[in-house]
Amino acid sequence: MGRGDLSDAEWERLRPFLPVGNRRCGRWRDHRQVIDGILHRVRTGVQWRDLPERFGPWKTVYERHRLWSADGTWERLLQEVQAAADAAGEIDWDISVDSTVVRAHQHAAGARTSPARPRFKGGRTAGTPGRDAVAEPRRPPGGGGAGGEGLGRSRGGFTSKLHLSADGRCRPLSLIVTPGQRADCTQFKPVLEKIRVPRSGSGRPRKKPDSLAADKAYSNGPCRQYLRRRGIRHAIPEKTDSQAARQRKGSRGGRPPGFDEDRYKKRNTIERAINRLKQHRAVATRYDKRGYVFLGTATAAALVIWLRT
């Protein structure tokens, strides 16, 4: 077993939830070998073509990662691991929300903007497909330039932003990728709505945390109203200008929002979760052209964090 590969215990936790068939009347290459290759690339940021030979053909490893990023397999695996942790009472549901900017490598730019023509086995792209032709899996919608792929322009080049929530043990619960200039508060509701931890038995998945902490970027009316509507206790400091505007109105300004300083001290868990994610070089620097593939890369890194914490 190489450095960073799945241990036997980690493999046994994932094996029951992996896809069985590949929808092409064929067999998957050994899942464990391919996953080890994907995790090696996520950890080191190496180019796919430079993967060590012990992981098998590089293209097989890349295509498996691309397919699982497109069909949600990485997210399902993450949810299953989270469900096992929740059943054992190992999730601290005092969560935090934040975002981090990821610098995109120049190779992350240049994704095709027009819809790709169907490509068939054997290199055929047009005309009537042959009897044994197999179409490639369709990628998720959202193409159409850098913005559609989660790339934002800045003075330094392209950037992406990773919005996430994390539990009290510094483990990511949900992840969203947007262009780098996207405001944090616009993704507050989508990040919370994406939390979905299945129950080990019957019952609906758990989506509601016990409490939430966030910084001033989320201190606005819509975010607070959303939390009150869902009955989620929260610790979000009030912005200085909002406080001054409220005080100028006197009694018409209303009462200040409640703020628990002791609860807010636990917000460092989201910063530590971001640091853990960025220990994986393919997350700290984006090399993937497609936004959904980069989200799959970040989800695979989060899966490793859950398996090894």
Side-chain angles (χ1 to χ4, degrees):
M1 185 178 72
R3 178 172 177 262
D5 291 352
L6 292 174
S7 65
D8 293 337
E10 294 165 355
W11 167 246
E12 288 301 322
R13 293 178 65 182
L14 294 181
R15 184 176 55 82
F17 310 113
L18 294 172
V20 178
N22 61 3
R23 295 185 242 175
R24 297 187 182 184
C25 301
R27 287 184 179 179
W28 289 108
R29 191 177 182 88
D30 180 24
H31 276 319
R32 186 170 184 176
Q33 180 189 33
V34 173
I35 291 177
D36 285 340
I38 294 172
L39 297 184
H40 178 84
R41 187 262 177 178
V42 171
R43 179 173 58 87
T44 63
V46 67
Q47 292 188 8
W48 291 105
R49 292 176 182 269
D50 295 332
L51 281 175
E53 294 182 359
R54 66 187 180 90
F55 299 122
W58 70 268
K59 194 170 184 179
T60 300
V61 181
Y62 164 72
E63 287 294 339
R64 190 78 53 88
H65 177 58
R66 184 184 66 83
L67 177 61
W68 286 3
S69 299
D71 64 11
T73 298
W74 286 123
E75 293 185 3
R76 287 194 295 270
L77 291 175
L78 179 60
Q79 289 176 357
E80 294 294 343
V81 173
Q82 291 172 347
D86 188 41
E90 297 176 353
I91 297 182
D92 183 351
W93 283 98
D94 291 330
I95 73 169
S96 301
V97 177
D98 206 349
S99 70
T100 181
V101 174
V102 176
R103 178 66 185 272
H105 193 271
Q106 59 183 349
H107 293 166
R112 182 183 299 173
T113 58
S114 58
R117 299 170 63 187
R119 183 178 297 277
F120 300 96
K121 189 175 181 180
R124 303 181 55 165
T125 58
T128 304
R131 179 181 300 177
D132 58 348
V134 180
E136 286 187 346
R138 296 180 59 189
R139 63 174 180 267
E149 300 298 345
L151 288 174
R153 296 183 181 275
S154 68
R155 291 184 178 181
F158 285 114
T159 57
S160 294
K161 184 174 282 190
L162 200 58
H163 306 260
L164 69 154
S165 62
D167 76 335
R169 298 183 63 185
C170 311
R171 298 174 296 187
L173 285 168
S174 59
L175 298 160
I176 289 179
V177 174
T178 65
Q181 74 275 8
R182 190 65 57 85
D184 292 357
C185 60
T186 62
Q187 303 304 309
F188 182 71
K189 181 178 177 181
V191 166
L192 293 182
E193 293 288 343
K194 202 173 181 181
I195 298 176
R196 181 184 177 89
V197 179
R199 306 286 186 177
S200 57
S202 59
R204 297 180 178 178
R206 176 160 184 176
K207 302 179 179 180
K208 180 180 175 181
D210 293 333
S211 66
L212 179 142
D215 59 17
K216 291 183 179 180
Y218 303 93
S219 179
N220 58 29
C223 291
R224 295 184 188 274
Q225 292 171 8
Y226 173 75
L227 293 171
R228 285 196 294 267
R229 187 167 61 251
R230 292 190 60 185
I232 300 174
R233 295 183 295 109
H234 56 278
I236 303 177
E238 188 179 18
K239 293 181 179 179
T240 304
D241 55 348
S242 299
Q243 183 178 5
R246 176 176 52 78
Q247 292 175 348
R248 285 196 301 268
K249 294 180 181 178
S251 60
R252 295 183 295 107
R255 288 180 291 182
F259 179 67
D260 186 348
E261 292 186 2
D262 292 333
R263 172 65 184 90
Y264 188 71
K265 291 178 181 179
K266 293 181 64 177
R267 199 190 69 83
N268 68 85
T269 55
I270 189 69
E271 306 292 349
R272 290 151 62 192
I274 291 172
N275 289 340
R276 283 184 175 182
L277 277 175
K278 287 194 168 182
Q279 291 296 317
H280 302 80
R281 297 194 175 200
V283 178
T285 301
R286 173 177 170 175
Y287 301 101
D288 302 306
K289 291 182 183 293
R290 297 296 180 185
Y292 73 92
V293 178
F294 178 65
L295 178 59
T297 299
T299 306
L303 178 62
V304 172
I305 293 173
W306 278 88
L307 288 174
R308 298 174 180 174
T309 304

